[in-house]
Amino acid sequence: MSVLVIVEQRAGGLNRMSLETLAGGAKVADGMGVALEAAVLGHDVAEVAETVAAFGPAKTYTVEHELLREYTPDGFTKALEQLIRAKQPAVVLFPHTYQVRDFAPKLATRFGRALVSDAVDIKMDGGHPRFVRQLFQGKLNADVSSNAGGAEFVSLQAGAFRAAEASGAKGEVEAFRVELEARDIRTKPEAPFREAQRSVDLSSADMIVSVGRGIKEKENLPLVEALADALGAELAASRPICDNGWLPMERQVGSSGQTVAPKVYFAVGISGAIQHLVGMKGAKTVVAINSDENAPIFEVADYGIVGDLFQVVPALTAAIKKAKA
Ligand SMILES: Cc1cc2nc3c(=O)[nH]c(=O)nc-3n(C[C@H](O)[C@H](O)[C@H](O)COP(=O)(O)OP(=O)(O)OC[C@H]3O[C@@H](n4cnc5c(N)ncnc54)[C@H](O)[C@@H]3O)c2cc1C
């Protein structure tokens, strides 16, 4: 028995969510007292499997085939079905990426199961995992567990776990042969969608000042820019600010933006919706400025200032400048 993490690689590069899923997998494997294993699919994936092997799994399977060179839901489903039938893991974990959303429900159905999608946490209960899912935009949490026997299929939300770190010890890498034929694959992939080049890497910033809809108008942004400048911080934003085009998309923090883990994160006029929180909850210290004392952001804040940002931010900027002078 094992916990099997399906990592995602593109052109030999691992995405951060795969490392987060390995950390989640380690928690389940420890709690169940079983081995953590991983699988990487594609063509020529030996090198990336060696990288994965340093991040905790006792064994990493390479699942290689010419027909897996490009992602197709048919190819990935058929290949993983063979691996899972052969290895019989207790839990199969995926990062909740667009690719996983595409094929994992179909894969789970092959085993008569439903995918427990977008879990935000894992609780261990007497050696059994319970997966926490959010309902109604994060207003309710549901603990999902199964007593059906056989593998459980679960995808983990971005930011649900801190990325696994490479350890000195390297696990084993083992090739798993799959049988695939061209007629198994009913779709023909086109060139992959290329995301806009990111010129700002918020994920490595030590300090971030993030602004939300509380700023009211684009013309008011210099107020928070001045705070960021005084602190030597990067400027970031919640989604509505980027959707409005007030700041570029690459500065968006959250489930559909960047995941950040600075030493200090200032949330200015941000309510703290779950989609925002998943992108910044790895911050060591959170300072929230919000006029609504019941705003959910205060639940994750280490320091909270209940007040009008148009008064608080200039006063804070002036105090920081004075302290630094
Ligand atoms: C599929 C999906 C993906 C999403 N992805 C993301 C994502 O990646 N990142 C993201 O951020 N959101 C994302 N969202 C949107 C998310 O649900 C929220 O709508 C968004 O985070 C809210 O942004 P906000 O906090 O800036 O605005 P609001 O929720 O409107 O909050 C504004 C806050 O400002 C405060 N305020 C108002 N005036 C003042 C003042 N004068 N002084 C101080 N405080 C003031 C208010 O009290 C309020 O709390 C996503 C949503 C969906 C459905």
Side-chain angles (χ1 to χ4, degrees), residues 17 20 95-96 118-120 156-161 254-255 257 259 278-279 281:
M17 282 169 75
E20 292 171 5
H96 191 70
D118 216 10
V120 295
L156 296 184
Q157 190 173 90
F161 284 86
S255 60
T259 302
V278 296
K281 68 182 182 186

Side-chain angles (χ1 to χ4, degrees), residues 213 216 238-239 252-253 256 269 271 275-276 290 308-309:
R213 199 145 46 182
K216 297 195 170 54
S238 65
R239 180 163 159 169
Q252 180 181 317
V253 169
S256 47
S271 60
Q275 293 88 356
H276 189 80
N290 199 303
D308 182 352
L309 73 88

Side-chain angles (χ1 to χ4, degrees), residues 71-74 77 97-107:
Y71 165 74
T72 60
D74 283 337
T77 303
T97 60
Y98 290 112
Q99 191 169 293
V100 163
R101 285 172 222 198
D102 191 42
F103 77 87
K106 168 181 160 115
L107 175 66

Side-chain angles (χ1 to χ4, degrees), residues 1-324:
M1 264 230 276
S2 65
V3 170
L4 179 65
V5 172
I6 312 301
V7 299
E8 193 169 304
Q9 62 87 25
R10 204 159 287 179
L14 274 182
N15 60 13
R16 185 188 172 90
M17 282 169 75
S18 291
L19 299 181
E20 292 171 5
T21 310
L22 282 168
K27 179 174 178 179
V28 186
D30 280 354
M32 296 179 79
V34 301
L36 174 66
E37 298 188 334
V40 49
L41 280 77
H43 188 264
D44 287 338
V45 293
E47 205 171 306
V48 67
E50 290 293 338
T51 309
V52 173
F55 283 88
K59 196 177 274 185
T60 302
Y61 299 105
T62 54
V63 183
E64 294 185 287
H65 198 287
E66 178 56 38
L67 292 169
L68 297 174
R69 185 186 285 276
E70 285 171 300
Y71 165 74
T72 60
D74 283 337
F76 271 45
T77 303
K78 189 152 190 208
L80 280 174
E81 183 183 355
Q82 292 171 31
L83 177 72
I84 293 163
R85 290 211 190 282
K87 304 296 170 191
Q88 308 260 317
V91 179
V92 185
L93 283 181
F94 307 85
H96 191 70
T97 60
Y98 290 112
Q99 191 169 293
V100 163
R101 285 172 222 198
D102 191 42
F103 77 87
K106 168 181 160 115
L107 175 66
T109 310
R110 297 260 167 111
F111 292 82
R113 308 302 296 261
L115 175 74
V116 178
S117 60
D118 216 10
V120 295
D121 199 4
I122 302 168
K123 297 176 185 169
M124 293 308 299
D125 179 13
H128 294 286
R130 282 196 278 143
F131 301 99
V132 183
R133 292 192 72 233
Q134 298 199 308
L135 308 175
F136 303 117
Q137 296 265 3
K139 290 196 171 54
L140 282 180
N141 276 359
D143 291 356
V144 183
S145 63
S146 163
N147 55 7
E152 285 193 69
F153 293 80
V154 183
S155 66
L156 296 184
Q157 190 173 90
F161 284 86
R162 254 175 200 273
E165 287 184 10
S167 69
K170 230 178 182 189
E172 214 181 306
V173 174
E174 187 180 302
F176 180 80
R177 278 182 59 83
V178 285
E179 303 289 332
L180 287 177
E181 291 176 41
R183 64 169 179 204
D184 293 328
I185 292 164
R186 295 169 296 176
T187 49
K188 193 171 176 309
E190 294 194 345
F193 166 74
R194 280 176 76 90
E195 283 178 21
Q197 199 90 39
R198 274 186 181 154
S199 56
V200 192
D201 182 14
L202 293 178
S203 63
S204 57
D206 267 351
M207 217 182 268
I208 292 177
V209 172
S210 196
V211 58
R213 199 145 46 182
I215 196 74
K216 297 195 170 54
E217 284 172 25
K218 185 180 183 188
E219 288 60 41
N220 297 330
L221 281 178
L223 205 71
V224 277
E225 281 164 358
L227 175 60
D229 284 349
L231 287 163
E234 280 288 354
L235 190 63
S238 65
R239 180 163 159 169
I241 302 300
C242 300
D243 278 352
N244 283 345
W246 297 355
L247 283 175
M249 285 295 179
E250 64 203 22
R251 293 202 181 263
Q252 180 181 317
V253 169
S255 60
S256 47
Q258 294 207 46
T259 302
V260 298
K263 289 187 181 136
V264 189
Y265 187 88
F266 284 80
V268 182
I270 291 177
S271 60
I274 182 63
Q275 293 88 356
H276 189 80
L277 297 186
V278 296
M280 46 65 77
K281 68 182 182 186
K284 286 213 169 57
T285 303
V286 176
V287 183
I289 303 167
N290 199 303
S291 50
D292 174 6
E293 62 177 334
N294 295 316
I297 192 72
F298 287 125
E299 287 168 27
V300 298
D302 301 282
Y303 299 95
I305 304 170
V306 179
D308 182 352
L309 73 88
F310 295 97
Q311 290 171 6
V312 175
V313 172
L316 202 56
T317 309
I320 289 159
K321 280 187 176 162
K322 197 171 160 199
K324 281 192 164 179

